[in-house]
Amino acid sequence: MKQPISTYSGIRTTLTLQQRDNIHIPYQNGIPVPSFDPQERLKLDLAGLWNKQRFEADHDFSMAERNECWIEQARETAGGRTEADYNDSDWEKIILPRPENELKGLEAAGSSETYENGVWYRRNFKLGEEWKGKAVTLHALSISYVADIWVNGLWVGYHEGGFTPFAIDLTRYVCFDSENTIVIRVDNPPWGSRHDIIPATAGTDFFNYTGVIHDLYLSGSTTCHIARMDAVPLDTEGSVRFTAVVENRSDAPTIVELQGTLFEADQEGEAFLNSPYASRIKGTRAAWDGELSTSLLLQPRESRAVVLHALVQDPKLWAFWQPNLYVAEFTLKIGEEEELDCFHTQFGIRTVTTEGTDILLNGRAVFLAGIARHEEWPDTGRTATWDRIRDDLLQMRSELHVNYVRTAHYPNHVFTAMLLDRLGLVTASEIPLWQFTREHFAIQEEKRLSDQMWREMVFSQYNRPSVLMWSTQNESVEVELRTVYNIRLVHDLKTCYPDGRLTTQSAAADQPGAHDPSMEPLDVASWTMYFGIFHGGTYYEGTKQFLEDAHRLWPNKPIVNTEYGHWSGENEVVSDTQIETYRETLKALMEYAVIKPDGTRNNSGFVAGIDYWIMYDWYVNHNNWIDTFGIYHMDRKTIKPVGELIRADYRMFTEHEGGFVKKGTSEY
């Protein structure tokens, strides 16, 4: 059947799936999408001092299709800013990564500058002799929102979307005998100003940060190298499927030997919670059978994919608070002697499935005792570091006894899922389609940026055992096109790059209600539930009635509550209401939970998880106040009265093996 000709005339997506050796490989900007797991390769961190200059952006121009005409017009309107010899000495200075928005770090209205507009960033860098002959790749973990990049005066590519990582091949653009200049043009159109951005809705209740948000660095690898290695555990007996993508960026054909081995991760080593490098947490060699070696012939500028299998003997399963990880090490050689490349990734052996109303982890029913968390700090906004993420997650596990962390409405820094792996905490990762209307979905039916974000999210977290579910959106109003969208994403995942995970969404309980047909293609039916607050009924009765209706309409799906809670108000003026909301809503949720307080099976239960909204107070985009739904204040130190209740309740939910439902004859 012929595909309809698109009428969308704006900026185009950059990620495609291309079949190589009957395997779907993600390509972006002309190269396979690389793993964003840190590797022991040449690295030049571009963190540090940059020159910057704000400008009034033409958002229509920023969102226009990239072609030769656009590139030339961008160069002309830049007034020399894209050129290597431009004098930017009078520009302001900024330490990147960090938001362009000025942050006072105060829990107060107006303490975060709302800047949704354009900014230029420039800096110079040098590459030493050791970089010569290497494939040079720019890795950008988050730039918000549209980024166009020039190196040494030449436009090298662009990316749209402020929450997912991307990479660009710079091999042909950099030099080794003089300084290089990198220039980034960022435009961040205001939320609510147009329908073709994501998020798109005015009033979005998180913050629209502008600029280079997360890490930006160059990597140098041999021209023939391992671009990514995707690991999928197939069962609890130790079967693992590895999909290797090998890229040849040279102009010569190459025959290589790919060889792999497996290690147990050293949980007791200092690096386990202190380093993102999988190579540094290798422990003893794992015992395994199978074949992790093959020969490949790559033509010039060709990428190949190969599937390999291993059976780990006596596997240590990854589960709640049991971060039993393995490290896969793959080398690329010419013959037996010359090693070209070495690649490491952490992975876990675990399965996640559903059976009726149960979510099964390693074949056992679980109860997800969750708390959501915005990736935000009062002084750095969304700019994250390994240590800050780790400290948040440790606090959630040790002080509030969670086994499940909802990463708000967007993919978090890639370190987040790595750390969840290492702490034995589970999550659902979601793309930032927030309260989409029909107009928003209609544009994405043609533009397909939402599909690209989905793929970017999946491929950047592919090997993380902590990710149990992928979520398609949050609280969208439109139903018909949302259903079409959900069907498409589920089909894409399960036919092109199946990873054994579950699919879900975070629907609003009143949009349109329990009968929501967009739940049909998903494995898990999930809703935010704010009865007595944002929609009808009372905290207890409204929630209870909705759950009964949802189970009647979706009797063979697990149900997960993705949000419940209430704000405390500034100075905790309504902390009593926050407590009452928590108690009454939780009462209804736990009546139908799959687990009883003693950890045994509730035979009439069908609620497989709950998620309190939210761990810490956070900035909202209108800037008139901070949002006070948090259990803790933004300082991470001051707990609110509701927190003591949550601490006691969640300890009870997870004290039995972290959240597994105790076995009983009636349910097994």
Side-chain angles (χ1 to χ4, degrees), residues 328-435:
E329 177 185 272
F330 282 84
T331 58
L332 206 61
K333 296 182 178 181
I334 295 179
E336 290 298 317
E337 301 299 325
E338 184 183 355
E339 183 172 299
L340 297 177
D341 190 31
C342 190
F343 182 97
H344 295 86
T345 187
Q346 68 186 47
F347 69 97
I349 297 174
R350 63 96 182 94
T351 59
V352 55
T353 56
T354 64
E355 184 177 89
T357 60
D358 284 335
I359 294 175
L360 305 181
L361 178 61
N362 300 330
R364 298 180 59 189
V366 299
F367 180 70
L368 305 178
I371 295 172
R373 167 187 169 272
H374 266 303
E375 184 176 63
E376 182 185 81
W377 291 265
D379 54 341
T380 64
R382 272 184 48 227
T383 297
T385 64
W386 175 272
D387 291 352
R388 284 191 165 200
I389 299 167
R390 177 199 60 208
D391 292 348
D392 278 4
L393 299 179
L394 279 171
Q395 185 177 37
M396 295 178 77
R397 193 181 86 165
S398 62
E399 295 186 18
L400 295 181
H401 313 291
V402 305
N403 60 18
Y404 171 62
V405 177
R406 185 181 177 207
T407 54
H409 309 308
Y410 43 82
N412 283 196
H413 193 295
V414 294
F415 289 169
T416 302
M418 292 180 192
L419 277 160
L420 289 167
D421 286 356
R422 298 191 194 181
L423 290 170
L425 299 173
V426 303
T427 189
S429 192
E430 184 173 286
I431 53 175
L433 273 72
W434 189 87
Q435 296 193 4

Side-chain angles (χ1 to χ4, degrees), residues 37-98:
D37 291 11
Q39 301 298 323
E40 301 281 7
R41 293 169 174 159
L42 288 176
K43 178 181 178 181
L44 179 66
D45 196 340
L46 294 176
L49 191 65
W50 289 63
N51 294 333
K52 66 127 179 182
Q53 186 181 68
R54 293 184 179 185
F55 70 100
E56 189 69 32
D58 180 342
H59 304 312
D60 288 336
F61 178 70
S62 299
M63 299 299 295
E65 183 178 359
R66 299 301 188 264
N67 50 35
E68 291 300 321
C69 180
W70 188 96
I71 295 169
E72 179 59 25
Q73 187 176 345
R75 188 188 68 81
E76 291 178 358
T77 57
R81 291 171 177 82
T82 62
E83 306 304 315
D85 59 359
Y86 179 81
N87 184 1
D88 58 11
S89 60
D90 62 343
W91 286 19
E92 292 183 65
K93 310 297 182 185
I94 188 172
I95 300 294
L96 295 181
R98 61 149 292 144

Side-chain angles (χ1 to χ4, degrees), residues 38-306:
Q39 301 298 323
E40 301 281 7
R41 293 169 174 159
L42 288 176
K43 178 181 178 181
L44 179 66
D45 196 340
L46 294 176
L49 191 65
W50 289 63
N51 294 333
K52 66 127 179 182
Q53 186 181 68
R54 293 184 179 185
F55 70 100
E56 189 69 32
D58 180 342
H59 304 312
D60 288 336
F61 178 70
S62 299
M63 299 299 295
E65 183 178 359
R66 299 301 188 264
N67 50 35
E68 291 300 321
C69 180
W70 188 96
I71 295 169
E72 179 59 25
Q73 187 176 345
R75 188 188 68 81
E76 291 178 358
T77 57
R81 291 171 177 82
T82 62
E83 306 304 315
D85 59 359
Y86 179 81
N87 184 1
D88 58 11
S89 60
D90 62 343
W91 286 19
E92 292 183 65
K93 310 297 182 185
I94 188 172
I95 300 294
L96 295 181
R98 61 149 292 144
E100 176 64 20
N101 314 75
E102 294 182 10
L103 303 172
K104 298 177 183 177
L106 302 175
E107 292 191 4
S111 65
S112 50
E113 179 200 19
T114 300
Y115 184 76
E116 302 168 292
N117 215 322
V119 58
W120 288 98
Y121 296 109
R122 289 174 53 95
R123 68 161 286 174
N124 295 330
F125 63 90
K126 286 186 177 181
L127 297 176
E129 288 290 319
E130 69 274 17
W131 288 77
K132 285 188 176 180
K134 301 296 187 183
V136 180
T137 306
L138 173 70
H139 302 255
L141 299 192
S142 172
I143 302 180
S144 185
Y145 171 74
V146 180
D148 285 271
I149 300 170
W150 287 260
V151 172
N152 296 329
L154 297 174
W155 183 84
V156 299
Y158 71 99
H159 182 262
E160 179 184 359
F163 296 90
T164 46
F166 66 97
I168 297 177
D169 177 16
L170 297 188
T171 309
R172 294 173 297 139
Y173 299 96
V174 295
C175 55
F176 307 96
D177 52 2
S178 61
E179 279 198 327
N180 296 274
T181 301
I182 182 170
V183 180
I184 306 176
R185 179 191 188 272
V186 175
D187 184 9
N188 190 23
W191 287 345
S193 66
R194 50 195 309 130
H195 288 151
D196 59 346
I197 59 176
I198 300 175
T201 309
T204 302
D205 73 346
F206 48 106
F207 204 84
N208 188 16
Y209 290 104
T210 298
V212 178
I213 306 301
H214 290 327
D215 306 59
L216 189 68
Y217 61 94
L218 302 181
S219 69
S221 60
T222 52
T223 52
C224 191
H225 59 271
I226 301 167
R228 57 184 303 114
M229 179 66 66
D230 297 333
V232 177
L234 302 177
D235 53 41
T236 57
E237 306 306 311
S239 297
V240 184
R241 181 184 75 228
F242 296 95
T243 302
V245 178
V246 180
E247 179 189 8
N248 181 14
R249 254 186 242 180
S250 77
D251 294 321
T254 307
I255 298 176
V256 295
E257 302 292 326
L258 179 68
Q259 299 176 352
T261 191
L262 306 179
F263 298 83
E264 294 184 9
D266 178 9
Q267 296 182 36
E268 303 304 318
E270 183 180 354
F272 196 73
L273 290 181
N274 291 316
S275 172
Y277 286 86
S279 57
R280 300 177 189 178
I281 64 169
K282 289 190 302 183
T284 59
R285 283 182 179 267
W288 56 277
D289 299 312
E291 185 57 65
L292 294 181
S293 301
T294 191
S295 297
L296 292 170
L297 167 62
L298 292 99
Q299 297 300 330
R301 304 285 169 183
E302 183 185 31
S303 295
R304 296 283 307 276
V306 62

Side-chain angles (χ1 to χ4, degrees), residues 487-518:
I487 291 171
R488 185 170 69 247
L489 294 195
V490 171
H491 180 267
D492 197 49
L493 173 72
K494 297 196 174 184
T495 61
C496 296
Y497 40 97
D499 63 355
R501 292 183 173 92
L502 306 178
T503 56
T504 190
Q505 65 179 340
S506 178
D510 62 341
Q511 297 290 348
H515 61 284
D516 187 348
S518 69

Side-chain angles (χ1 to χ4, degrees), residues 558-629:
I559 290 174
V560 169
N561 159 268
T562 55
E563 292 180 32
Y564 72 108
H566 196 284
W567 56 91
S568 65
E570 291 189 22
N571 301 315
E572 299 173 26
V573 294
V574 290
S575 61
D576 289 347
T577 304
Q578 189 178 42
I579 289 172
E580 182 186 6
T581 304
Y582 167 73
R583 280 177 166 163
E584 292 298 302
T585 306
L586 183 69
K587 179 182 176 183
L589 291 168
M590 295 311 296
E591 282 188 22
Y592 294 118
V594 296
I595 195 172
K596 292 180 180 179
D598 64 359
T600 59
R601 174 75 197 204
N602 176 6
N603 290 325
S604 60
F606 49 81
V607 174
I610 60 174
D611 184 72
Y612 188 83
W613 187 265
I614 189 169
M615 184 67 176
Y616 309 110
D617 290 346
W618 76 97
Y619 295 131
V620 287
N621 213 45
H622 55 65
N623 217 11
N624 295 322
W625 59 75
I626 64 161
D627 206 302
T628 62
F629 266 80

